[in-house]
Amino acid sequence: MLREQVKKWRHVFKLDPAKPITDDAIHQIATSNTDAIIIGGTDDITFQNTAYLLSKLRNYSIPYYQEISTSTSLVPGFTGYLTPTIFNTNDAKWILGIHHQTIKAFGSFIPWDQVILEAYVVLNPDAKVAKRTNANTNQQISDVIAYARMAEWLQIPIFYVEYSGTYGLVDLVREVSPILQNTHFCYGGGISNQQQAEEMAAWADMVVVGNLIYDDLNQAIQTVKWIKSIKKRGES
Ligand code: 1GP
């Protein structure tokens, strides 16, 4: 089951279909010993640019997942599908609205055993995803802890602390960490060096690296070993 596979993820690369990438870079990412590749982004995501990346990844044994942002960019053929729900927005469209419309359009074709929900808390006010979803990024640590408890109670497979584009608060990630027992705790945002990779890997179950792929590919590849060599605190 996808939920069980996700629990094993420690390091994940996120590729943005709207950003150009060479075949060699894809090769390095796909053979880097990362646990999975997520394909997703906020702006200019189309069926075509998503299908293009999928066609490149098919040559490798690494599992690849589409993070669905719009129903029109949904591409069949991925190992699985991740569907974000934004916890810290008042705009119902981003909580369950788009999901409802997508299920209405594709309901009988959806491979349910290959689809899971991700509970997002978006915390960088300058990130495109924060603007797009009208996220209320002004959250105290206690607010995020309460969101984490909700995700655990609702049995959502992934709780995603999203700082996309900037490095987040380690204190927040440290305090949220023990709340999540069955829900997989994902951190993403601004990982660009060894210290950051190790700090977040100490408290999150899984760390996502995105922008660094496009800014410094060699450094991005290094994050796999940095993150995987750190043991998460509190685990025996
Ligand atoms: C984005 O959380 C991921 O959705 C990774 O963030 O691109 O800042 O690494 P960065």
Side-chain angles (χ1 to χ4, degrees), residues 3 6 13 27 36-37 51 57 61 69 84 93-94 97 101 104 128 136 151 155 163 170 196 213 228 232:
R3 187 185 184 112
V6 163
F13 279 123
H27 177 77
I37 295 175
L57 289 170
S61 56
S69 46
K93 176 181 172 185
W94 300 105
Q101 289 305 310
K104 192 174 169 190
K128 281 186 271 185
N136 175 8
Q155 299 181 23
Y163 278 94
V170 181
Q196 293 170 341
I213 297 167
K228 290 196 170 192
K232 187 188 165 206

Side-chain angles (χ1 to χ4, degrees), residues 14 120 160 162-166 188-191 208-212:
K14 193 183 279 191
Y120 263 71
Y160 197 136
E162 171 68 292
Y163 278 94
S164 180
T166 194
I191 298 287
V208 179
V209 175
N211 281 312
L212 192 59

Side-chain angles (χ1 to χ4, degrees), residues 208-223:
V208 179
V209 175
N211 281 312
L212 192 59
I213 297 167
Y214 304 93
D215 296 341
D216 186 341
L217 180 62
N218 289 335
Q219 187 92 335
I221 298 295
Q222 303 286 320
T223 62

Side-chain angles (χ1 to χ4, degrees), residues 149-165:
R149 288 194 205 283
M150 280 172 60
E152 183 84 14
W153 176 61
L154 290 166
Q155 299 181 23
I156 294 177
I158 294 178
F159 182 73
Y160 197 136
V161 166
E162 171 68 292
Y163 278 94
S164 180

Side-chain angles (χ1 to χ4, degrees), residues 219-236:
Q219 187 92 335
I221 298 295
Q222 303 286 320
T223 62
V224 179
K225 73 167 187 271
W226 293 335
I227 287 162
K228 290 196 170 192
S229 63
I230 291 290
K231 200 170 168 56
K232 187 188 165 206
R233 306 266 179 101
E235 285 199 338
S236 51

Side-chain angles (χ1 to χ4, degrees), residues 62-192:
I62 185 84
Y64 33 82
Y65 296 83
Q66 184 177 14
E67 192 169 54
I68 301 165
S69 46
T70 62
S71 59
T72 52
S73 62
L74 197 52
V75 177
F78 278 88
T79 316
Y81 297 86
L82 309 175
T83 53
T85 179
I86 310 297
F87 270 10
N88 58 325
T89 179
N90 289 327
D91 188 344
K93 176 181 172 185
W94 300 105
I95 306 170
L96 283 176
I98 288 179
H99 315 66
H100 176 245
Q101 289 305 310
T102 306
I103 292 166
K104 192 174 169 190
F106 298 103
S108 55
F109 300 104
I110 295 174
W112 288 105
D113 55 342
Q114 291 167 260
V115 182
I116 57 169
L117 199 60
E118 304 170 290
Y120 263 71
V121 177
V122 177
L123 293 171
N124 174 11
D126 298 323
K128 281 186 271 185
V129 61
K131 292 177 178 153
R132 169 75 67 85
T133 62
N134 289 320
N136 175 8
T137 58
N138 186 16
Q139 304 286 331
Q140 304 300 312
I141 292 178
S142 56
D143 294 316
V144 182
I145 286 174
Y147 281 132
R149 288 194 205 283
M150 280 172 60
E152 183 84 14
W153 176 61
L154 290 166
Q155 299 181 23
I156 294 177
I158 294 178
F159 182 73
Y160 197 136
V161 166
E162 171 68 292
Y163 278 94
S164 180
T166 194
Y167 188 61
L169 270 186
V170 181
D171 286 353
L172 183 150
V173 174
R174 185 183 63 237
E175 293 206 33
V176 167
S177 181
I179 305 298
L180 295 162
Q181 300 299 320
N182 295 308
T183 293
H184 205 55
F185 181 24
C186 170
Y187 170 82
I191 298 287
S192 65

